[in-house]
Amino acid sequence: MFPLPAPRSRFILPALFLAVTAAPCVHAAAPIDAATEVWTPVPPVINAPANGVPSDAIVLFDGKNLNEWEPLRPDAPGWKIEEGAMVVVPQPTPCDERTKRVFGDLQLHLEFREPAVVKGDGQSRGNSGVFFMGLYELQILDSVNNPTYVNGQAAAVYKEHAPLVNASRAPGEWQTYDVVFIAPRFAADGKLLSPARLTAFHNGVLVQHDVALTGPTPNGPTFHMATLPPYTAHAAKLPLSLQDHRSPVAFRNIWVRDLTLPGPAAQP
Ligand code: MG
């Protein structure tokens, strides 16, 4: 042992004590970081099982029944269930199916299958579609070796936006669409505040990235117009529909998550 000279140890020990006790002062800066931390509101906890349906989703078709759906024309026979799939029954006068519930902003998952037996060309081959709010169509078409106008092929926002890529699978194979649709907002006087927007994945591949819709996609009475139809104010929530375009397209595993995302105030 070599004891420190008494006069020096008198200063060193208190200095060591101060150094140790001062260390927490470094962390005292933490409240500055905390100024950028947000603790509320706490996002709701949901279950998101692997390859399953989120616990806050509304299941629109699980293979068992068509309870969530109705034909657009009450007198039409409606579609059929075949081996757990919801299948278009082509009518002399086509009749879409629509949900009994109404939706505005939503997240959609659905699976569809083009007929294995290839029939027709262009828009006549495996045509169907998802109509958000019954007005805005994400095209369904057999787009494997089937040239047509690109803003009318599979995963196009019909006649408004061609898909970024053609991610179609072979006829007879199940395919997926995952979509976020944002409803348009209208002022009380009917003026458009913000257009509908859509992001879509086809078979897991990004095909539409936050595109702004120019208005309803051409269909029915507006189909033969030389220009695309403009927006007309409508309700904040409307049924989702699936198109009968005279092709026996099949659907399964359809669910939505009802969203209300920030945006200009919707009409009451
Ligand atoms: Mg279509």
Side-chain angles (χ1 to χ4, degrees):
M1 289 290 289
F2 299 95
L4 290 167
R8 289 183 68 184
S9 64
R10 219 177 284 139
F11 296 104
I12 287 171
L13 286 174
L16 278 171
F17 175 78
L18 278 174
V20 170
T21 54
C25 292
V26 174
H27 301 289
I32 296 172
D33 299 337
T36 54
E37 295 173 358
V38 177
W39 286 71
T40 57
V42 177
V45 174
I46 66 154
N47 295 318
N51 301 318
V53 182
S55 59
D56 63 347
I58 299 165
V59 175
L60 294 177
F61 181 66
D62 63 1
K64 296 189 182 79
N65 59 61
L66 295 174
N67 292 352
E68 291 283 341
W69 299 86
E70 61 187 9
L72 214 57
R73 286 198 319 274
D75 61 322
W79 297 6
K80 63 180 176 183
I81 295 178
E82 204 172 71
E83 296 175 350
M86 176 178 171
V87 184
V88 179
V89 180
Q91 302 296 315
T93 305
C95 184
D96 299 350
E97 288 278 320
R98 71 178 170 201
T99 56
K100 293 174 184 171
R101 299 177 196 249
V102 291
F103 303 100
D105 303 342
L106 62 75
Q107 175 185 350
L108 166 76
H109 172 88
L110 70 72
E111 299 171 20
F112 66 94
R113 185 185 59 200
E114 293 292 346
V117 177
V118 175
K119 203 172 154 188
D121 288 305
Q123 294 293 310
S124 299
R125 186 185 296 179
N127 197 331
S128 182
V130 188
F131 280 80
F132 298 91
M133 310 193 89
L135 293 168
Y136 309 101
E137 182 185 13
L138 182 65
Q139 174 71 306
I140 289 176
L141 195 74
D142 176 358
S143 284
V144 176
N145 300 321
N146 183 30
T148 186
Y149 42 96
V150 297
N151 59 356
Q153 70 180 69
V157 175
Y158 189 70
K159 287 200 167 176
E160 295 192 22
H161 298 283
L164 296 170
V165 292
N166 182 351
S168 298
R169 290 180 183 152
E173 289 188 27
W174 283 102
Q175 310 192 49
T176 60
Y177 275 167
D178 287 279
V179 185
V180 174
F181 174 81
I182 310 300
R185 267 51 165 181
F186 299 97
D189 64 0
K191 185 167 165 269
L192 180 71
L193 294 176
S194 64
R197 305 193 78 92
L198 182 143
T199 294
F201 292 81
H202 183 189
N203 296 325
V205 176
L206 182 69
V207 284
Q208 299 286 350
H209 179 217
D210 193 29
V211 293
L213 277 65
T214 61
T217 54
N219 189 43
T222 63
F223 186 77
H224 297 292
M225 289 167 57
T227 55
L228 297 176
Y231 279 102
T232 306
H234 56 67
K237 293 191 172 191
L238 289 167
L240 174 84
S241 59
L242 299 176
Q243 187 183 36
D244 167 6
H245 201 284
R246 299 195 173 92
S247 296
V249 177
F251 295 87
R252 72 178 184 187
N253 195 16
I254 307 173
W255 54 260
V256 298
R257 295 182 60 248
D258 196 3
L259 309 172
T260 301
L261 297 176
Q267 71 275 37

